[in-house]
Amino acid sequence: MQYNAFTLTNGIRLVHIPTHSTVAHFGIVLNTGSRDEKDEEVGMAHFIEHVIFKGTKNRKAYHILSRLEDVGGDLNAYTTKEETAIYSTFLKNDYTRAIELLSDILKNSTFPKHEIEKEKEVIIEEINSYLDSPSELIYDDFEDLLFKGHPFGRQILGSPEQIMTYEKKDIEKFMSENYHTDQMVLCFVGDIPFERLKRRIQFYFEDLPENRREHNRLKFENYKPQHLILDKETYQNHTIIGTIAHEIGHKDRTTTVLLNNILGGTSMNSRLNLAIRERHGMAYNIESTITSYSDTGLLSIYYGTDPENGDRAQGLIFKELKKLRDKKLGTLQLSKAKKQLFGQISVSQENSEEVMLSSAKSYMFFNSLSSLEQIEKKINTITSEQIIEVANQILQEDQMSILTYQSKE
């Protein structure tokens, strides 16, 4: 991947990935998420994601929303356990419009009281929508179970009761304590010369006061497997089986990603999909996911089954985990697995918006980006012995936590 990078005097980093498209993407990604909230701030990172679009010193909410949409562009945001992102898509000739708008949102948001009160209701509706979707809600409840007592366990959306208490002063306090300039990456993907882009970024972002992170985040330690069954009004049993995995910078992370792809990745020929869905017809959806944080990670296996098939499906899953711990992949199996993973990564590079967001995150943690050639080389160096070693580190049955939503039917 060809890219350019620059660091502003206040510590904000810029990454520029040139393309030949008429469409461009620009985003601000902050190394701040729900894990950075105090007990009295649960849901605040996500709350800010909503209200930051509701007015600045220069614009009302309508003018913020219309600024890019009037020229066919788009404005969006998301919050995770560790990140907050504000990003945009637009025709390349409107790049100054997008940069100015995002800088205005970041630097000059006023958080009008009537907009805060209105957005509280919107977020509560968002929380309620999750309560109606057990296949999504269970992931939050599982992390609460796995990371019990740690900020990682907090639900990103927070609770309706706590959301209703937030005021402008609470928002500004959280931002001043957590929106650090050295933990901020601006990423631009588009056909704009780098020197011209850099001048625009300096003009709109270099006046943001320097605010560097001085505290260390609370690290999660002393994991203990947990098992929990919750009664829910559902037709199916929904289950997640999972455990702690490697952090984003771990030397075995690429091996872990490959192992997970073999086990239950997005492809229909993953081992779990073949064993549970194709051979036995026990689940419509079964998948495993690796989530890597800055100082820990998580492997989770989700499936939904008829209540009568729950125990049998679980047994088949543990059987597949044992195979990966005990039996080395043959030369042909390993070669196919590597080609599949690299192919999936290559295809994902066609989505320029995803490239922009993932590149910002990568630059956040590593201060560099990897080319497809470098990624392919890293994948191709993985051996069957390394896969077995990682499988025995993270796929031990007695280290698995299990959460089940049990149907009341």
Side-chain angles (χ1 to χ4, degrees), residues 37 50 54 91 156 174 236-237 267 324 334 357 398 407:
E37 297 162 350
H50 277 247
K54 298 305 176 180
L91 295 179
I156 293 171
F174 183 86
Q236 286 185 308
N237 278 8
S267 296
L324 285 168
L334 181 59
L357 293 170
D398 62 357
S407 170

Side-chain angles (χ1 to χ4, degrees), residues 333-397:
Q333 287 178 311
L334 181 59
S335 176
K336 285 184 175 179
K338 290 177 178 180
K339 288 178 180 177
Q340 182 183 63
L341 178 59
F342 179 68
Q344 291 168 347
I345 293 170
S346 299
V347 169
S348 73
Q349 297 295 298
E350 291 298 305
N351 184 336
S352 296
E353 182 177 88
E354 177 58 33
V355 168
M356 181 264 294
L357 293 170
S358 62
S359 296
K361 181 176 178 179
S362 181
Y363 204 82
M364 178 83 69
F365 290 110
F366 304 115
N367 232 30
S368 65
L369 302 180
S370 296
S371 67
L372 280 174
E373 290 76 16
Q374 290 170 317
I375 293 169
E376 184 178 29
K377 183 178 180 180
K378 187 176 289 188
I379 291 171
N380 284 336
T381 60
I382 297 171
T383 65
S384 295
E385 288 78 12
Q386 288 173 315
I387 291 176
I388 273 213
E389 181 181 350
V390 171
N392 277 278
Q393 290 172 6
I394 65 174
L395 299 183
Q396 293 292 343
E397 185 173 335

Side-chain angles (χ1 to χ4, degrees), residues 148-170:
K148 205 158 193 68
H150 187 274
F152 269 134
R154 294 177 178 143
Q155 294 199 8
I156 293 171
L157 301 184
S159 68
E161 296 77 17
Q162 200 146 8
I163 294 299
M164 291 302 295
T165 68
Y166 294 147
E167 300 176 3
K168 178 178 178 177
K169 62 180 177 60
D170 304 312

Side-chain angles (χ1 to χ4, degrees), residues 28-39:
I28 305 169
V29 178
L30 301 103
N31 189 16
T32 297
S34 60
R35 75 169 298 183
D36 299 298
E37 297 162 350
K38 299 182 176 69
D39 290 342

Side-chain angles (χ1 to χ4, degrees), residues 27-90:
I28 305 169
V29 178
L30 301 103
N31 189 16
T32 297
S34 60
R35 75 169 298 183
D36 299 298
E37 297 162 350
K38 299 182 176 69
D39 290 342
E40 66 275 14
E41 296 174 329
V42 177
M44 178 60 77
H46 173 260
F47 188 68
I48 292 172
E49 174 210 316
H50 277 247
V51 297
I52 204 167
F53 295 113
K54 298 305 176 180
T56 71
K57 296 174 184 177
N58 306 305
R59 294 179 172 93
K60 294 183 179 180
Y62 172 79
H63 299 112
I64 290 173
L65 297 178
S66 299
R67 183 65 176 157
L68 288 179
E69 291 191 355
D70 281 352
V71 292
D74 183 49
L75 185 64
N76 213 333
Y78 71 79
T79 307
T80 71
K81 301 283 171 129
E82 289 195 318
E83 303 151 44
T84 302
I86 306 166
Y87 57 99
S88 56
T89 299
F90 43 89

Side-chain angles (χ1 to χ4, degrees), residues 119-132:
E119 207 61 26
K120 287 177 181 180
E121 299 299 330
V122 173
I123 294 172
I124 290 170
E125 289 303 317
E126 184 178 358
I127 293 170
N128 290 337
S129 74
Y130 267 81
L131 296 176
D132 278 340

Side-chain angles (χ1 to χ4, degrees), residues 10-38:
N10 55 12
I12 296 174
R13 287 169 284 173
L14 167 67
V15 180
H16 167 246
I17 301 170
T19 66
H20 298 294
S21 173
T22 58
V23 176
H25 309 270
F26 175 62
I28 305 169
V29 178
L30 301 103
N31 189 16
T32 297
S34 60
R35 75 169 298 183
D36 299 298
E37 297 162 350
K38 299 182 176 69

